Amino acid sequence: MRKRYEMLREAAEIRRDETFKPYRARKVRGRPHPDPVIESIALSSVTVPDVATKISLPMDIVEEGKLSDLQLEAVVYAKQQHAGFYPSGERKGFLLGDGAGVGKGRSISGIIYDNWLNGRKKAIWLSVSNDLRHDSLRDLNDIGADMIKVHPLHKFKYGHKLTDKENGRVQEGVIFGTYASLIGERHQAGATTKRAAQATRLHQLVTWCGRNFDGCIVFDECHKAKNLYQANGKPSKTGTTVLELQRQLKQARIVYASATGASEPKHMSYMSRLGLWGAGTGFKSSEQFVDALTKAGVGAMELVAMDMKRRGVYLARQLSFEGCEFELEEVPLDGFFMTLYDAAAELWRDAKEYFSQAANLLGDDFKMPGMWQQFWGAHQRFFKYLTMAAKVNKACQIARKAVRENQCVVIGLQSTGEQRTNEEMDRIMESGEEINEMVSSCKGVFRRLLDTHFPVSDRDKLAELGINFDLPDSPDERQSSGFHDKKPRYMTAFGESDDEDPNSTDKEKQDTKKRKEAIEQCAHLKRTLWEKLLKIKNLPGNALDELMDGLGGPDLVSEMTGRKNRQIITDQGKLTPSLLRRRF
């Protein structure tokens, strides 16, 4: 193990020397960033342009280091870029590609504050989660901009201006929203086209800003708008709306912010303010730009990044890992987990076979596009949760040993498993079952796959045919009478009848019988699969909850996730609904 570790460290050292260079803010003065920062060797080969603008931020921000020199550099070059226009009349934009730890939030807050001090007291800040609004408030407060209010977009009422009484008469400040809220709209029965267009978030924002708006619009984590152009030719609604917001507000000062904003040329199509295509460039449209760079490969993307940095359009720094060490710990599987894994593999082998059989049984009557995509996605999630659970005990051992040695421990997980755990918990609590074990995320993934994507014809016809397609909670609940507990009833001139529809032809009767038999077989396959899962004992619970329990519970472990619920085992070794649903 030690030899392997030394080899990996040497290889990483070679790659680091060849790939990255230390980064310093050469043309902006301020307090140094608290941690060493690097940039790619390609970007380090070009320098940013000279500073030709002056920011309006108070001197205490610089002197007290509320913004480091790297963060000030981003504010300066964003402002310098925003001072120019393209031949199309659109204001130039800026792309901030800093990685975690460099402080994109602080830089964005500095840009908004500088605009505020210059009289531009309206701004829009879009990100991926409403929870990040609290981070934006913190960043603004930390630099002394606590006078700037941050209003949540999702709280405003549709169909009213943001300045109306119904929405609190918001005249200034930052409107903080998510990309999901940006594309939001309210459908009104009988509404005219014009009125329907006014019941959208996009219309609310454009109306609030005004057509001559020259304030700041921040697309934080902007890679969420990357699917503007897709292989099937259908653009994503998010990408389209982001582009439309920029088109309607041509004077707006646009800031794109993402550490992964330009991994592929097609993902830059919504970045219309970077001067990569249009009049005065080598490409007439974004489609031509994407096509040319896609054919040219990764090298062309590096050239684009270098050109943007040279023009002052782009900065991309990241924390250095110099001085960091790592070890690989192998987690040997015991006999119990190997048996569990084998049983899970057999379950998914049968699931693939049963899904195929059900789809073939229904034939043309089966209309569920993307079934296999959903199947393999659930397959990956299931085994992700399973393999994460296999590492919990080892992670607890390593953590306890580190704490005894007076070290700090931070544990990262690929997923909290919150959604699947909550779905299972809601179902269990509604059924009134006794809770005596951790809820399994693996079980939740499999149940959702069967409930939502197992092949079935028109679900509205199942009740008519008298077929029960629900899943039992245990093998004992399967009724001996089969899957069609009641006969379909038909309306006649004399009322309801249990006989076959007298108006149907022999062929229609035969088709209905075959269709019913096929669906009955599908129901049987579905229930058989579920019973196979229920027979697998000791499926692991939510890995995060198991990890916290193994380290002493929430009183000894601080959790920094977006979860709203957790599972807690009491001193008596039981789980109660009140503890399970405790907010934090």
Side-chain angles (χ1 to χ4, degrees), residues 45 303 331 423 535 578:
S45 64
L303 291 175
V331 181
E423 288 174 358
K535 291 177 181 177
S578 58

Side-chain angles (χ1 to χ4, degrees), residues 463-466 486-490 497-499 516:
E464 178 185 329
L465 295 172
K486 61 180 181 178
K487 294 178 64 178
R489 303 178 67 82
Y490 302 97
S497 171
D498 291 335
D499 298 327
K516 182 177 179 180

Side-chain angles (χ1 to χ4, degrees), residues 559-577:
E559 179 182 346
M560 294 185 293
T561 69
R563 293 199 306 171
K564 293 182 173 59
N565 299 290
R566 63 157 69 105
Q567 300 176 80
I568 302 175
I569 299 179
T570 65
D571 294 337
Q572 293 74 34
K574 292 186 177 181
L575 293 150
T576 63

Side-chain angles (χ1 to χ4, degrees), residues 35-51:
D35 292 299
V37 173
I38 56 177
E39 69 173 343
S40 69
I41 194 168
L43 286 179
S44 69
S45 64
V46 295
T47 59
V48 290
D50 293 335
V51 175

